[in-house]
Amino acid sequence: MATRSTIMDTNSFRPEMADALDPQTRKLTEEREVLGPAYRLFYRHPVHLLKGKGSHLWDADGVEYLDVYNNVASVGHCHPRVVEAIARQASLLNTHTRYLHENILNYATDILSTMPAPLDRVMFQCTGSEANDLAVRVAQAYTGGEGVIVTHEAYHGNSALTSKLSPALGTAQTLGLTMRMIPTPDTYRLVINGKPASQCTAEEFGTWVANEVRKAVADMNRHGIKFAALLADSIFSSDGVYPDPVGYLKPVIDTVHELGGVWIADEVQPGFTRTGDAFWGFERQGIVPDLVTSGKPMANGLPTSLMAARHEVLEPFAGSIPYFNTFGGNPVCMAAAQATLDVMRDEDTMSNAKKVGAVFKTAVQSLQNAHPCIGDVRGAGLYIGCEIVRPGTTDPDQKAALDILETLRDNHVLTSVCGRFGNILKLRPPLVFSEDDVDWFMDAFTKTLTTLGL
């Protein structure tokens, strides 16, 4: 029997849950049959949302919820500056990149100014899947190889190419024959040379991960596969949120380059000031990628993504193969992306992520003694992983994690889970999350744990 997708199925509504729903909600779930069976809804009792503002959402009955999940509306739901920019440009023109337009050129220059100087070219798409698909093709053209390394529970997209590089989609999804997996950099459970990974230095942990890359490339070579790229995000989001120790990725990427590959930094999750330490997640690790991809946070909800590159890495692909994406880089999405970037600067979302994220993480950690189901709390900025375990062990407790999610939903807080075992609460709110929002979450979380007797 196929293993369910950790990122799609763990916290999903299924038809056999319909009997418990009120008539209107059940009617809406049944009407979704027209969309086919591949779509997923969150929660045993799905939420019918109609309005959002900042880090808050309202359902069809006017009930207010706290959003502790969403990096799509990165600067908050319906930010007025982004809304105004969209409306203004939509009232003038919206077409594609085969005509000249200032919006794409201005934004391209501006977004590259946030990156290290070697990353000097950028191309635009609509989704993170498309960006990663393109980045892999660029990497393969540059290296002449096919082999791509990902982590054990990675998710990098849903195109034909990227879905085969996304083990988090579950065992029903076939994986690429030229793909190899390395272990999740699990600083909570791994023991390296007799020492818990949480006690390892950045150099020790990085050397261990680098050796896993060497093993993967050696296996590629045994099968006649030339190594092309390591595709990874620097916070290892789908694996379960593992941002530390700072600096451990440097020996890993040095090894990738030594073995003839490139690093594709998937910044859909850690980028755009999310970690609070730098604009980009890879900056926190002190390294410069060969290719960078991003998507969700870019335009506050409009379909926009990017692939940035070192010009010499891009040239073998772009110099010979034309690329066109009908909606990628269109004037309206570029206006939204520019407004989002301007808000991040003007409202200093990076400082907010650092300050409020530290308060948030400390608050969650403060519950560990009273609630031993909380095995580990880790994260950077406004991205926190809260690991739910069987008390007194490191054994994952998915059932308890899902009960927590559902009870939080009843207490008007929305979030989800991630990780190989689907037991890690993924606390990733909009970047405008406030200390008052932390208080709301903590009240609901404490009430939830008490209600469940955890």
Side-chain angles (χ1 to χ4, degrees):
M1 182 177 177
T3 302
R4 289 182 177 271
S5 164
T6 53
I7 61 166
M8 296 293 288
D9 289 315
T10 308
N11 181 32
S12 65
F13 170 81
R14 291 186 283 280
E16 60 266 26
M17 300 172 179
D19 289 344
L21 301 180
D22 62 86
Q24 178 60 21
T25 302
R26 180 169 182 169
K27 178 174 180 290
L28 287 173
T29 63
E30 290 171 348
E31 288 176 352
R32 280 173 61 94
E33 289 181 7
V34 70
L35 303 176
Y39 281 94
R40 299 291 188 271
L41 282 166
F42 279 151
Y43 298 110
R44 298 164 193 163
H45 189 291
V47 186
H48 180 192
L49 297 173
L50 293 186
K51 186 176 76 169
K53 182 178 181 181
S55 53
H56 296 235
L57 296 159
W58 286 263
D59 71 9
D61 295 320
V63 175
E64 185 177 1
Y65 291 82
L66 181 67
D67 186 353
V68 192
Y69 174 76
N70 223 314
N71 77 327
V72 177
S74 55
V75 296
H77 294 277
C78 303
H79 194 289
R81 287 179 63 180
V82 181
V83 171
E84 194 276 332
I86 292 168
R88 182 175 64 249
Q89 184 57 52
S91 71
L92 295 172
L93 175 74
N94 198 33
T95 182
H96 51 69
T97 56
R98 296 177 79 172
Y99 301 111
L100 293 170
H101 201 278
E102 291 85 356
N103 282 9
I104 188 172
L105 300 177
N106 293 340
Y107 183 73
T109 300
D110 204 0
I111 197 63
L112 285 176
S113 75
T114 68
M115 298 185 185
L119 293 159
D120 56 358
R121 298 290 186 271
V122 64
M123 299 170 69
F124 296 102
Q125 303 80 37
C126 299
T127 67
S129 298
E130 291 176 333
N132 281 329
D133 189 296
L134 178 60
V136 170
R137 293 171 65 196
V138 169
Q140 290 173 335
Y142 176 70
T143 61
E146 287 187 90
V148 178
I149 296 173
V150 299
T151 50
H152 195 283
E153 203 61 25
Y155 174 74
H156 294 293
N158 57 26
S159 69
L161 192 162
T162 57
S163 62
K164 293 181 182 296
L165 303 173
S166 298
L169 287 174
T171 57
Q173 170 61 56
T174 58
L175 298 175
L177 295 176
T178 59
M179 182 274 284
R180 295 294 183 272
M181 287 186 289
I182 60 173
T184 292
D186 187 343
T187 48
Y188 180 53
R189 292 186 177 83
L190 281 171
V191 176
I192 297 170
N193 297 325
K195 181 190 291 189
S198 60
Q199 298 176 16
C200 288
T201 65
E203 184 178 358
E204 288 171 332
F205 193 55
T207 298
W208 182 84
V209 178
N211 285 336
E212 294 300 315
V213 169
R214 290 186 187 280
K215 292 177 190 177
V217 174
D219 189 65
M220 286 180 184
N221 293 339
R222 280 193 295 272
H223 290 84
I225 300 165
K226 182 175 169 56
F227 177 42
L230 169 68
L231 173 57
D233 82 71
S234 57
I235 204 167
F236 297 92
S237 313
S238 295
D239 284 275
V241 191
Y242 299 97
D244 296 316
V246 171
Y248 86 90
L249 280 181
K250 187 179 188 309
V252 179
I253 305 311
D254 287 346
T255 299
V256 167
H257 290 151
E258 174 195 332
L259 297 173
V262 298
W263 178 34
I264 304 170
D266 184 337
E267 289 283 314
V268 170
Q269 308 273 2
F272 285 88
T273 78
R274 171 63 55 181
T275 69
D277 292 320
F279 192 94
W280 299 102
F282 62 77
E283 289 182 283
R284 185 173 181 270
Q285 288 285 343
I287 40 183
V288 181
D290 303 287
L291 295 154
V292 176
T293 58
S294 193
K296 289 184 182 75
M298 284 182 62
N300 218 47
L302 264 66
T304 310
S305 64
L306 66 78
M307 183 204 71
R310 298 172 184 259
H311 67 268
E312 67 273 17
V313 175
L314 180 61
E315 178 57 30
F317 175 88
S320 57
I321 300 175
Y323 178 85
F324 175 60
N325 186 309
T326 301
F327 300 111
N330 72 73
V332 170
C333 283
M334 290 292 93
Q338 186 66 64
T340 302
L341 182 56
D342 292 343
V343 168
M344 287 177 176
R345 288 185 176 123
D346 294 346
E347 297 186 9
D348 198 2
T349 56
M350 188 160 70
S351 291
N352 189 67
K354 189 175 185 68
K355 177 188 173 185
V356 178
V359 171
F360 195 7
K361 182 179 174 184
T362 299
V364 177
Q365 288 172 329
S366 73
L367 296 180
Q368 284 184 273
N369 288 337
H371 301 280
C373 67
I374 303 175
D376 191 34
V377 181
R378 52 186 178 264
L382 283 171
Y383 207 150
I384 297 167
C386 177
E387 182 125 17
I388 305 301
V389 298
R390 294 182 177 87
T393 76
T394 60
D395 298 338
D397 194 339
Q398 184 187 99
K399 180 183 182 304
L402 294 180
D403 287 344
I404 289 170
L405 280 187
E406 296 293 339
T407 310
L408 278 172
R409 179 243 186 271
D410 293 341
N411 290 320
H412 307 149
V413 171
L414 305 179
T415 189
S416 190
V417 292
C418 60
R420 181 179 180 183
F421 307 106
N423 69 306
I424 300 164
L425 303 183
K426 180 165 62 174
L427 309 178
R428 183 197 55 183
L431 295 168
V432 295
F433 208 64
S434 69
E435 292 188 39
D436 286 343
D437 292 331
V438 173
D439 290 341
W440 180 344
F441 175 85
M442 291 304 297
D443 287 344
F445 193 28
T446 303
K447 181 180 178 182
T448 292
L449 294 171
T450 301
T451 299
L452 295 172
L454 293 171

